[in-house]
Amino acid sequence: MDIFEKLYMKAKEEYRPEQVSPFIDAHHVVAALESERGEIFTGFCIESASGVMNLCAERVAALNMYINTGETKIKRMIAFRKDSPKNNGGMPCGACREFLMQLSYENRNMEIMIDYESREIILLKDLVPNWWGEERYSKK
């Protein structure tokens, strides 16, 4: 079993769409990531009637990693709805891309699964070319 299969199986455990209240839906998008130390963390989306309160599965997984270990560096990530990502699916939204870049400069090299069947991946830095924060990281 390769690492992306492990990530897929862990994320799939979180998939159980539910309506939390008349305003909030959850668990219909799931994600799993591998931290720099090799631990796996999962997350699920929480969407409300007010978009500013939404949390994507990718950010929840990254926050679970940080809250539980203090780690900020991610090696690999997979995200999907009911089935594994296919044909360029599973890419994080713009807010998640930005959050992951800000969490650690090293995350620019994280692998994101975009087609599970063919094992096609993309690096975060390819989704965020010419990122505005490069200069701030270079001043550290």
Side-chain angles (χ1 to χ4, degrees):
M1 179 181 301
D2 71 19
I3 185 60
F4 277 111
E5 188 172 353
K6 288 179 186 176
L7 292 173
Y8 173 74
M9 298 305 288
K10 291 300 267 184
K12 188 91 169 152
E13 292 173 14
E14 295 288 346
Y15 183 80
R16 54 181 184 281
E18 68 174 321
Q19 187 172 38
V20 177
S21 76
F23 306 97
I24 298 175
D25 293 312
H27 290 274
H28 57 283
V29 177
V30 294
L33 63 81
E34 178 189 14
S35 72
E36 183 178 49
R37 293 185 201 150
E39 293 181 74
I40 295 175
F41 296 90
T42 61
F44 56 86
C45 68
I46 303 168
E47 293 183 355
S48 71
S50 174
V52 297
M53 293 188 286
N54 293 350
L55 285 172
C56 295
E58 297 92 330
R59 279 181 279 158
V60 171
L63 288 169
N64 278 334
M65 177 187 70
Y66 178 71
I67 289 166
N68 287 291
T69 67
E71 284 187 84
T72 59
K73 297 175 186 172
I74 301 167
K75 289 170 132 179
R76 296 173 186 87
M77 178 179 279
I78 189 171
F80 54 93
R81 285 187 180 268
K82 184 177 181 183
D83 298 310
S84 62
K86 290 179 180 67
N87 302 319
N88 296 321
M91 287 190 271
C93 72
C96 288
R97 294 174 194 188
E98 183 65 30
F99 177 78
L100 296 168
M101 288 294 287
Q102 289 185 26
L103 190 59
S104 172
Y105 186 63
E106 298 304 314
N107 288 343
R108 72 190 186 286
N109 295 313
M110 69 183 281
E111 298 176 349
I112 300 166
M113 174 67 60
I114 58 174
D115 190 301
Y116 185 74
E117 202 169 291
S118 69
R119 292 300 195 262
E120 184 180 354
I121 60 160
I122 193 166
L123 300 180
L124 180 59
K125 66 183 174 186
D126 295 328
L127 294 175
V128 190
N130 305 310
W131 183 60
W132 69 271
E134 297 273 346
E135 184 179 322
R136 188 176 290 188
Y137 272 123
S138 67
K139 290 180 181 179
K140 279 183 96 177

